[in-house]
Amino acid sequence: MNRLLALFVAVVPLGALAVYEGPLFDAHLHYNDDAVGHYSVGAVMELFSKNGVKAIIANSRPNDGTRALVEANRKAPRPGFAVVPFIRVYRDRADYGTWHANPDIAQMIEDEAKRGYYRGVGEFHIFGREAASEVVKRIVNFAASRDLVLHAHCDEAALELLFAHNPQARIIWAHTGFNTPLARVEELFAKYPRLWGELSYRWDVTEGGRLTPEWKAFFTKHAARFLVGSDTWVNQRWQSYPETMGTYRRWLAELPPEAAERIAWKNGAALFGLP
Ligand SMILES: [Zn+2]
């Protein structure tokens, strides 16, 4: 044992070294045009495999990246690996601020869905009354009618408007609202049984590398309602993909095993009917 390793063993309590070792469902993945040039389809597939990621919610700006992942996994299927494709609402960066009022976007989603393999729509960003628009209503109703899951980065006001359009919608709440108090998240889970919270960028769940007592209790109580994700929205997030997944594996190990399995894999698998 070298000196560095000896020091490591001495200062890190044994329990902190435990990691969740089961499969991961990455419920927030982007394979955008600016990533495609740096990370080939083969390279990202390798990355998933190395990190024990057995399914991904794939979406991209524009949708070409998603199609490339779907097609690659059809041509050369990786056993036990699933691509769950979502239709992105942005064709390019100019769509970010305007999509929710642009009927062309609703039409694009309906046309893209004709490929037959999509399982959802998003991730999209929407705040407050923007969600009340006719275009958003059309998209929510279309998604609900096709059993497509919505992936929404939104505030509480928009979340409630999305469900008001159609209570049959299923919604993954990107980042679980970022700063919504846990008591309020609990109310929303009770009010909307078809709502799931996704956890990318939620560094606040841990403190000093351990789950906070509040989050630990909350995850244990609501284990059926959470998903983990990478949110590879910029290339730096592809670079740090192993660290992102490693962080999840460390805090998942602090939960009762059944809760960890649900959040890591089973909830995503159940949502999309994976084995
Ligand atoms: Zn994202």
Side-chain angles (χ1 to χ4, degrees):
M1 189 183 291
N2 67 36
R3 270 177 54 214
L4 204 66
L5 185 60
L7 186 71
F8 184 71
V9 170
V11 296
V12 179
L14 256 183
L17 294 171
V19 293
Y20 162 81
E21 288 178 335
L24 290 172
F25 188 112
D26 183 345
H28 189 152
L29 186 110
H30 306 290
Y31 188 46
N32 290 332
D33 49 6
D34 36 13
V36 170
H38 290 85
Y39 299 91
S40 66
V41 169
V44 298
M45 291 292 192
E46 222 22 64
L47 196 59
F48 303 142
S49 160
K50 276 190 185 141
N51 286 281
V53 171
K54 301 293 187 191
I56 52 167
I57 285 184
N59 70 100
S60 62
R61 179 205 69 239
N63 286 309
D64 307 55
T66 304
R67 290 182 214 129
L69 291 171
V70 170
E71 280 150 26
N73 205 45
R74 279 188 168 177
K75 264 187 217 147
R78 294 183 171 240
F81 178 76
V83 175
V84 179
F86 273 38
I87 304 168
R88 196 91 206 258
V89 305
Y90 311 128
R91 298 162 299 185
D92 52 41
R93 288 183 193 277
D95 282 333
Y96 274 66
T98 55
W99 72 275
H100 53 82
N102 183 354
D104 292 351
I105 297 296
Q107 191 59 52
M108 179 272 284
I109 291 167
E110 291 164 20
D111 291 343
E112 187 66 23
K114 291 184 183 135
R115 291 177 190 274
Y117 51 61
Y118 285 103
R119 306 301 305 277
V121 175
E123 179 201 22
F124 53 79
H125 300 74
I126 193 136
F127 301 96
R129 295 293 302 167
E130 290 170 356
S133 79
E134 280 306 311
V135 169
V136 172
K137 184 178 183 177
R138 174 173 160 189
I139 293 169
V140 172
N141 282 331
F142 178 76
S145 74
R146 303 296 178 94
D147 212 22
L148 299 170
V149 175
L150 299 168
H151 203 304
H153 180 145
C154 63
D155 56 11
E156 286 171 51
L159 184 72
E160 302 234 42
L161 285 166
L162 294 174
F163 277 120
H165 289 317
N166 194 323
Q168 288 310 304
R170 294 191 293 172
I171 301 179
I172 295 172
W173 195 9
H175 320 292
T176 318
F178 264 129
N179 44 27
T180 305
L182 287 189
R184 179 64 182 144
V185 174
E186 188 159 51
E187 279 175 18
L188 291 166
F189 280 165
K191 188 171 177 187
Y192 302 113
R194 296 161 80 82
L195 173 67
W196 287 264
E198 183 274 330
L199 293 163
S200 55
Y201 278 97
R202 293 304 299 266
W203 291 296
D204 58 312
V205 306
T206 62
E207 218 173 80
R210 310 280 296 180
L211 280 176
T212 67
E214 293 76 22
W215 275 104
K216 189 172 180 177
F218 201 74
F219 285 147
T220 304
K221 186 174 178 189
H222 296 290
R225 309 300 290 276
F226 283 103
L227 303 158
V228 298
S230 59
D231 196 2
T232 47
W233 68 289
V234 286
N235 287 344
Q236 181 271 332
R237 295 288 289 180
W238 281 107
Q239 229 164 55
S240 59
Y241 195 88
E243 285 77 40
T244 304
M245 293 301 149
T247 301
Y248 284 132
R249 288 186 180 282
R250 276 191 299 282
W251 67 245
L252 282 165
E254 293 183 54
L255 295 173
E258 173 58 14
E261 282 168 25
R262 277 177 171 272
I263 294 170
W265 173 258
K266 284 184 177 171
N267 294 336
L271 250 171
F272 300 101
L274 304 181

